[in-house]
Amino acid sequence: MTTTRIQRYADLIVHIGTNVQPGQILYVLALPEHAELVRALAKSGYDAGVRYVDVQYVDPHVRRTMIERADDEVLTFSPPWLVERYRAAADGGALVMIAGEDEPELLADLDQARVGKARTLDALDELRRGQSGRTLSWTIAAWPTSGWAQQMFGEPDVERLWEAIAATVALDDDDPVASWQAHTAKLRERARRLNELRLDTLRYDGPGTDLTVGLLEAHRWVGGGVETTYGAFHVPNMPTEEVFTTPDRRRAEGTVRSTRPLQLGGTVVRDLEFRLEDGRIVDVSAASGADAVRAQLETDENGARLGEVALVDGESRVGKTGLTFFNTLFDENATCHIAFGNAIVFGTELEDVAPDDLEAHGFNLSSIHTDFMVGGPDVTVTGITRDGSEVPLLVEDVWQL
Amino acid sequence: MTTTRIQRYADLIVHIGTNVQPGQILYVLALPEHAELVRALAKSGYDAGVRYVDVQYVDPHVRRTMIERADDEVLTFSPPWLVERYRAAADGGALVMIAGEDEPELLADLDQARVGKARTLDALDELRRGQSGRTLSWTIAAWPTSGWAQQMFGEPDVERLWEAIAATVALDDDDPVASWQAHTAKLRERARRLNELRLDTLRYDGPGTDLTVGLLEAHRWVGGGVETTYGAFHVPNMPTEEVFTTPDRRRAEGTVRSTRPLQLGGTVVRDLEFRLEDGRIVDVSAASGADAVRAQLETDENGARLGEVALVDGESRVGKTGLTFFNTLFDENATCHIAFGNAIVFGTELEDVAPDDLEAHGFNLSSIHTDFMVGGPDVTVTGITRDGSEVPLLVEDVWQL
């Protein structure tokens, strides 16, 4: 990891990921093990003309101690200053969140009900408000850590992980900014074609999977990025390979087998399977981590309903690495995925609907949003239009439109 | 540094330093290099019954980049969330601040005028309000870092520094809590005797030093610790060896030569000398770091007037280490010191006086407070009472009362 390469990466995150505008405040949310990238982001931010770079380090060990020892009511406590900070960020700020834990299984031996509950609810509500209302220009990007590399490769080969991350974000392309512009244009074109189809339902067929998911009548396919209300096109995930939209919370039936491990609050969930009835996940099994999933599903009354469906083909730069990253940012971009929990307003045409009225449209509201991976060469995804005709979308990981 | 010893140290800081009460929030202000102590403090805090442990890591490299690259007005900017955080802490919280930078000269090559100006003024005002009003239960304690050890010993001997710190805070005494109780009782007794003398002036005589400092008519000597308005006796500095009081901002005359190096905002000031007239520092010289001192003195109109005088004898556990720590927390507790800048209300009988009226009493108001060391075996400190009689206080580092 040379200094100049790290700085190029930070520049890419700031310019493509957040597309920060002069005079904005650039917020960075990181773990202590991300300090090297955080410091490069600060330089990129000031060089891009931001007013102030506002860094928050969350110490996962302090969080572990809180989950272990604090009173129940503290698990969901947001310090008022944190609500204020996220409120200010949501109202016109830019935010970089960094993924890549050095101790990804740090919370695995704790009471998973407490781990699942431990969320700064009021503060996160502010961030969600900024994301849904498109007043926050945000991105999630990754930093290679020793423990993460250990988890992926069985040895702490950080350089190998760094190479893999760099490949997925086009860092070593001749002109990474141009590569990103072409890439997001391709994803936007996919979303445009899907929107033309006016689909009613998606069907997934594969080993262990026989699932239909109804789409919201007002669904909108989105890919590549999002434009803020003030006109800044930004890329919320780096890498990103998906086009996604919003399911109807009332319509999902069948069984689905996850095709990749899922990293969830310090636990790795393997061989996850769900059965769904009337839009709700009613049965969970997994070789490991089932308790962590159940705790999430039970977070609130809509935790077990679906909030997102996303399509990714075999051309994905993430998929092409051939790696399982044990990290949703990457694994969800390797292949098709579905999320349970909260839906995303800009994956709909309901942006002007009052929050209290969203649910009547079939939009799911929850305090969680968790993606799990369902795609791969053995899984066929078919769209069913409103007039009942079937349109192949993905066959053997090849994009069909 | 064994885990159990670190945990004993954290327990001592929480119980003696902040004397935290069940249900309080314990705030921790640290650098990333203090993570090991921070994590132990979190455990100590929850075990002591605090409601929540609220940790803030400040990244000194991000701060350096801000000082280098941000607009002038940003140097003194406090993000609103930070003001809110310190306000909440000041109103009945407990706060541990950790000293001991891993890169103590990180800011030395920057424009010292900008370094001196870079302070989150509005946020620090809140902390000062909590300290002056005794609604905040706070302490500063140290953590040994590699770079600090390098500065002290010429090699990164962290274990040696850890032993030195442990010695100064009685960590390896049979019963450290009992040692601290006896120690703070001794300092309180010294303060009591000094208060009985009703002194008018202190005189310092030594090589390069011929200084008189008038005391506030309403001065009060304080030592050992402070009691909050809700009755929690806490120890703001660990270690602490001083008894201190408040000078009259209008009355200081002569010359003073600092007897120890001073760590100041990333710079080490050596061989510092001041000349004072009518209470104001009018001339500064130093072998290194004079610019950093001048920048501090010029921070505001009262930066060059005195805010504290403190007496420390040769029995000091810090002094007995024979070490220069290049860190004010320790070096000020090795020997007598004086501060320029803001005075401390609880070193007076003026606690009920409105802030706007304090200056008329001779109390100095400034946004800075910087201690420099003036004591040692060659420096005699004499008290002059209101009726003009002279009382030896320190002769050859021996306490005379």
Side-chain angles (χ1 to χ4, degrees):
Chain A
M1 289 187 251
T2 65
T3 305
T4 55
R5 197 179 190 200
I6 295 169
Q7 198 60 57
R8 279 194 293 119
Y9 183 43
D11 285 346
L12 195 65
I13 293 168
V14 165
H15 290 287
I16 292 290
T18 69
N19 190 9
V20 76
Q21 305 295 307
Q24 275 189 306
I25 291 182
L26 177 65
Y27 297 83
V28 180
L29 181 53
L31 302 176
E33 53 260 39
H34 303 147
E36 199 170 356
L37 178 59
V38 168
R39 293 163 184 181
L41 287 166
K43 290 180 184 167
S44 299
Y46 285 113
D47 287 351
V50 308
R51 177 167 181 243
Y52 182 69
V53 178
D54 193 329
V55 173
Q56 181 187 2
Y57 286 108
V58 173
D59 187 327
H61 286 267
V62 172
R63 190 160 175 272
R64 179 187 157 92
T65 298
M66 186 273 284
I67 295 170
E68 275 185 320
R69 305 188 191 206
D71 287 347
D72 274 1
E73 58 92 21
V74 174
L75 293 175
T76 52
F77 170 63
S78 300
W81 66 262
L82 190 68
V83 179
E84 169 72 24
R85 185 178 205 159
Y86 288 1
R87 179 181 300 135
D91 290 339
L95 170 65
V96 177
M97 293 179 272
I98 305 176
E101 296 161 78
D102 194 33
E103 293 166 274
E105 307 214 21
L106 182 65
L107 308 179
D109 64 326
L110 298 186
D111 175 352
Q112 292 304 307
R114 287 177 70 83
V115 173
K117 205 177 161 197
R119 304 168 61 77
T120 55
L121 292 182
D122 291 349
L124 292 173
D125 272 352
E126 290 295 329
L127 278 195
R128 233 184 329 267
R129 182 179 60 78
Q131 292 171 326
S132 300
R134 295 186 292 116
T135 53
L136 172 67
S137 165
W138 61 286
T139 194
I140 307 175
W143 181 244
T145 57
S146 169
W148 182 16
Q150 174 77 39
Q151 188 184 31
M152 284 179 64
F153 306 127
E155 57 182 351
D157 190 344
V158 176
E159 280 298 327
R160 187 176 166 201
L161 177 52
W162 181 221
E163 291 304 324
I165 293 171
T168 65
V169 297
L171 184 61
D172 296 327
D173 283 17
D174 287 342
D175 184 345
V177 169
S179 293
W180 269 96
Q181 286 165 343
H183 178 62
T184 58
K186 181 185 81 174
L187 295 173
R188 278 185 280 181
E189 175 60 13
R190 285 186 179 178
R192 195 188 61 75
R193 291 194 193 177
L194 283 162
N195 282 321
E196 282 179 350
L197 291 177
R198 312 299 291 153
L199 295 174
D200 177 74
T201 302
L202 296 185
R203 196 177 69 224
Y204 299 81
D205 297 295
T209 291
D210 176 8
L211 178 72
T212 58
V213 179
L215 300 182
L216 215 64
E217 193 177 340
H219 77 269
R220 178 204 289 159
W221 290 91
V222 177
V226 180
E227 194 171 289
T228 62
T229 54
Y230 50 90
F233 182 82
H234 63 99
V235 178
N237 287 181
M238 294 183 74
T240 186
E241 299 284 349
E242 62 177 326
V243 286
F244 71 92
T245 194
T246 306
D248 186 325
R249 65 190 292 276
R250 301 159 295 200
R251 294 196 294 138
E253 304 290 335
T255 57
V256 58
R257 178 181 293 171
S258 182
T259 51
R260 301 218 168 205
L262 169 63
Q263 169 70 26
L264 192 64
T267 300
V268 177
V269 183
R270 296 172 201 274
D271 301 335
L272 178 65
E273 294 193 25
F274 287 139
R275 188 165 61 81
L276 294 97
E277 282 179 14
D278 298 332
R280 178 180 282 279
I281 295 166
V282 292
D283 201 40
V284 178
S285 72
S288 69
D291 286 350
V293 174
R294 287 192 193 99
Q296 280 237 321
L297 295 172
E298 291 162 10
T299 305
D300 53 39
E301 61 173 339
N302 294 325
R305 294 187 182 273
L306 303 186
E308 181 191 343
V309 289
L311 303 179
V312 178
D313 71 354
E315 291 298 300
S316 159
R317 282 184 183 247
V318 180
K320 282 180 165 176
T321 65
L323 296 169
T324 297
F325 285 79
F326 300 98
N327 185 299
T328 300
L329 175 64
F330 290 84
D331 293 329
E332 75 160 18
N333 279 304
T335 191
C336 298
H337 57 273
I338 298 175
F340 52 86
N342 206 50
I344 301 165
V345 166
F346 49 79
T348 73
E349 304 289 344
L350 303 174
E351 289 179 301
D352 297 328
V353 172
D356 286 351
D357 298 333
L358 283 172
E359 209 165 89
H361 290 266
F363 185 95
N364 200 43
L365 293 167
S366 170
S367 68
I368 60 161
H369 176 100
T370 301
D371 299 280
F372 59 100
M373 281 57 76
V374 300
D378 298 334
V379 180
T380 299
V381 185
T382 308
I384 302 166
T385 65
R386 289 175 192 176
D387 62 13
S389 56
E390 301 202 350
V391 186
L393 301 177
L394 280 164
V395 178
E396 293 181 352
D397 258 353
V398 178
W399 191 257
Q400 302 291 309
L401 285 186
Chain B
M1 289 187 250
T2 66
T3 305
T4 55
R5 197 181 190 199
I6 294 169
Q7 198 60 58
R8 279 195 290 118
Y9 183 43
D11 285 346
L12 195 64
I13 293 168
V14 165
H15 288 288
I16 293 290
T18 70
N19 189 10
V20 75
Q21 304 295 307
Q24 276 190 306
I25 290 181
L26 177 65
Y27 296 83
V28 180
L29 181 53
L31 303 176
E33 54 260 38
H34 303 146
E36 199 169 359
L37 178 58
V38 168
R39 293 163 184 182
L41 287 167
K43 290 181 184 167
S44 299
Y46 285 113
D47 287 350
V50 307
R51 177 168 179 242
Y52 183 68
V53 179
D54 193 331
V55 173
Q56 181 188 1
Y57 287 108
V58 173
D59 187 326
H61 286 267
V62 172
R63 190 160 176 273
R64 178 187 157 92
T65 299
M66 186 273 284
I67 294 169
E68 275 184 321
R69 305 189 190 204
D71 287 347
D72 274 1
E73 58 92 20
V74 174
L75 294 174
T76 52
F77 170 63
S78 300
W81 66 262
L82 189 67
V83 179
E84 168 72 23
R85 185 178 205 157
Y86 288 1
R87 179 181 301 134
D91 289 338
L95 170 66
V96 177
M97 293 179 272
I98 306 176
E101 296 161 77
D102 194 34
E103 294 166 274
E105 307 214 23
L106 181 65
L107 308 179
D109 65 327
L110 298 186
D111 174 353
Q112 291 304 306
R114 286 176 70 84
V115 173
K117 204 177 161 196
R119 304 167 63 77
T120 55
L121 292 183
D122 292 348
L124 292 173
D125 273 351
E126 290 295 329
L127 278 195
R128 235 186 325 271
R129 182 178 61 77
Q131 292 171 327
S132 300
R134 295 185 293 116
T135 53
L136 172 68
S137 165
W138 61 285
T139 194
I140 307 175
W143 182 245
T145 55
S146 169
W148 182 15
Q150 173 77 37
Q151 187 183 33
M152 284 179 63
F153 306 127
E155 56 182 351
D157 190 344
V158 175
E159 280 298 328
R160 187 175 166 201
L161 176 52
W162 180 220
E163 291 303 324
I165 292 171
T168 65
V169 297
L171 184 61
D172 296 327
D173 283 18
D174 287 343
D175 183 346
V177 169
S179 293
W180 270 95
Q181 286 165 344
H183 178 61
T184 57
K186 181 185 82 175
L187 294 173
R188 278 185 281 181
E189 174 61 12
R190 284 186 180 178
R192 194 187 62 74
R193 290 195 195 178
L194 283 162
N195 282 322
E196 282 179 350
L197 290 177
R198 313 298 291 153
L199 295 175
D200 177 74
T201 302
L202 297 185
R203 195 177 69 224
Y204 299 81
D205 297 295
T209 292
D210 177 8
L211 178 71
T212 59
V213 179
L215 300 182
L216 215 64
E217 192 175 342
H219 77 269
R220 177 205 289 159
W221 289 92
V222 177
V226 181
E227 194 170 288
T228 62
T229 54
Y230 51 90
F233 182 82
H234 65 98
V235 178
N237 288 180
M238 295 182 74
T240 185
E241 298 284 349
E242 62 177 325
V243 287
F244 70 92
T245 195
T246 306
D248 187 326
R249 64 190 292 277
R250 301 159 295 202
R251 294 196 292 138
E253 304 289 334
T255 58
V256 59
R257 177 181 294 172
S258 183
T259 51
R260 301 217 169 205
L262 169 63
Q263 170 69 24
L264 192 63
T267 301
V268 177
V269 183
R270 296 173 200 273
D271 301 335
L272 177 65
E273 295 195 25
F274 286 140
R275 189 165 60 81
L276 294 98
E277 282 180 15
D278 297 332
R280 180 180 280 279
I281 296 166
V282 293
D283 201 38
V284 178
S285 71
S288 71
D291 285 349
V293 174
R294 287 192 193 99
Q296 280 237 320
L297 295 171
E298 291 163 10
T299 304
D300 52 39
E301 62 172 337
N302 294 325
R305 293 186 183 275
L306 303 186
E308 181 191 343
V309 289
L311 302 179
V312 177
D313 71 355
E315 290 299 300
S316 159
R317 281 183 184 248
V318 181
K320 282 181 166 176
T321 64
L323 296 169
T324 297
F325 285 79
F326 298 99
N327 185 301
T328 300
L329 175 64
F330 290 83
D331 293 329
E332 75 160 18
N333 279 303
T335 190
C336 297
H337 57 274
I338 298 175
F340 52 86
N342 206 50
I344 300 164
V345 166
F346 51 78
T348 73
E349 305 289 343
L350 303 174
E351 289 179 300
D352 297 327
V353 173
D356 286 351
D357 298 332
L358 282 171
E359 209 166 88
H361 291 266
F363 185 95
N364 201 42
L365 294 166
S366 169
S367 67
I368 59 160
H369 176 100
T370 301
D371 300 280
F372 60 99
M373 282 56 77
V374 300
D378 298 333
V379 180
T380 299
V381 185
T382 308
I384 303 167
T385 64
R386 289 175 192 175
D387 62 11
S389 57
E390 301 203 350
V391 186
L393 302 177
L394 280 164
V395 178
E396 294 180 351
D397 258 352
V398 177
W399 190 257
Q400 302 292 310
L401 284 186

